């Protein structure tokens, strides 16, 4: 798309009608053009007019996170969670996952795990993979292995998600290695078959 033209056209709409609901389309165009300050201002405009729009809150959170404002991103995601948990929103688990990621970045591992637990209850293997990775980071090796076992079982025969399978195998290899399990090397070898440069799998194999 011609993002300059899209931004100009939608900007004209927003200028004529400050309450216009554009679903983040103008902010997205501005972000594509590299004007992050203008994109943030447009998200702010839409959210002033539509403060209960969880999608807009998630998108602004992404922008704030990418700008290094993790606390601001967490604020937006918590607001989105409060909105979504009262409605049957299919993206609720993904919002919880995004929130947990930001909390992990802030060093709030307990909150991150709590939100990942909620995401796993409502989501799919992607959320369990992230929980397994965080538990491995926290050196809760046996718990991490349980999550990763389930992920690998779910996606072992899905070539489209081979990078995620490699990540799961590599992380499980490390979890097994740290528990002194001899079959850690098997996971590392399989991870390297799928992703030859995987650092975690190379480390396990090196030891």
């Amino acid at each position: 798309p011609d993002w300059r033209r899209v931004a100009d056209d939608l900007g004209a709409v927003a200028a004529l009608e400050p309450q216009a609901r554009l679903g983040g389309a103008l902010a997205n165009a501005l972000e594509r053009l590299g004007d992050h300050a203008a994109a943030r201002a447009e998200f702010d405009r839409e959210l002033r007019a539509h403060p209960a729009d969880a999608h807009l809150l998630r998108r602004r959170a992404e922008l704030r996170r990418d700008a290094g404002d993790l606390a601001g991103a967490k604020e937006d995601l918590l607001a989105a969670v409060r909105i979504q948990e009262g409605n049957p929103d299919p993206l609720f688990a993904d919002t919880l996952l995004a929130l947990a990621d930001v909390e992990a970045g802030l060093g709030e591992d307990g909150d991150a795990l709590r939100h990942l637990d909620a995401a796993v209850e409502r989501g799919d293997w992607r959320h369990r993979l992230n929980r397994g990775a965080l538990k491995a980071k926290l050196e809760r090796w046996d718990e991490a292995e349980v999550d990763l076992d389930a992920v690998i079982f779910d996606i072992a025969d899905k070539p489209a998600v081979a990078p995620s399978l490699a990540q799961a195998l590599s992380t499980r290899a490390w979890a097994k290695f740290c528990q002194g399990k001899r079959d850690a090397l098997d996971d590392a070898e399989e991870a390297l078959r799928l992703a030859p440069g995987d650092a975690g799998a190379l480390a396990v194999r090196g030891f």
Side-chain angles (χ1 to χ4, degrees):
D2 183 342
W3 294 112
R4 181 74 271 162
R5 179 171 291 180
V6 171
D8 288 346
D9 288 348
L10 293 177
V13 173
L16 288 169
E17 178 48 71
Q19 303 296 308
R21 189 168 201 151
L22 302 176
L26 174 53
N28 179 60
L30 292 166
E31 191 175 357
R32 296 274 188 165
L33 290 168
D35 194 341
H36 298 283
R40 169 63 190 273
E42 169 57 14
F43 277 126
D44 292 348
R45 178 200 70 78
E46 277 212 78
L47 281 164
R48 279 193 299 272
H50 310 284
D53 190 320
H55 168 72
L56 288 175
L57 284 164
R58 282 188 51 177
R59 288 287 291 112
R60 188 172 70 177
E62 290 173 11
L63 193 70
R64 296 174 86 170
R65 181 199 62 201
D66 292 345
D69 180 13
L70 294 180
K74 178 180 178 179
E75 179 184 8
D76 279 346
L77 289 166
L78 282 171
V81 163
R82 286 192 291 271
I83 294 164
Q84 289 179 309
E85 67 185 352
N87 301 290
D89 192 327
L91 296 178
F92 184 37
D94 287 343
T95 303
L96 289 166
L97 179 59
L99 174 58
D101 183 61
V102 167
E103 288 170 332
L106 288 165
E108 299 171 356
D109 295 327
D111 286 340
L113 271 176
R114 180 167 57 84
H115 287 122
L116 280 173
D117 287 343
V120 167
E121 288 179 10
R122 296 165 174 82
D124 57 27
W125 63 266
R126 295 173 299 120
H127 308 92
R128 192 175 291 276
L129 173 58
N130 279 270
R131 188 173 70 178
L134 180 57
K135 286 183 173 180
K137 174 190 167 188
L138 296 175
E139 300 184 2
R140 294 163 64 163
W141 307 119
D142 55 338
E143 294 177 31
E145 187 179 348
V146 170
D147 271 341
L148 297 165
D149 284 347
V151 171
I152 292 164
F153 179 81
D154 283 347
I155 66 174
D157 59 349
K158 297 178 180 177
V161 293
S164 295
L165 177 57
Q167 179 190 351
L169 286 162
S170 176
T171 308
R172 190 174 72 173
W174 190 251
K176 287 181 174 181
F177 173 78
C178 291
Q179 295 176 84
K181 294 186 176 181
R182 297 175 61 85
D183 60 341
L185 184 58
D186 295 336
D187 279 353
E189 293 285 7
E190 182 61 14
L192 289 168
R193 185 184 69 78
L194 295 167
D198 186 280
L202 286 169
V204 171
R205 191 171 71 176
F207 283 117

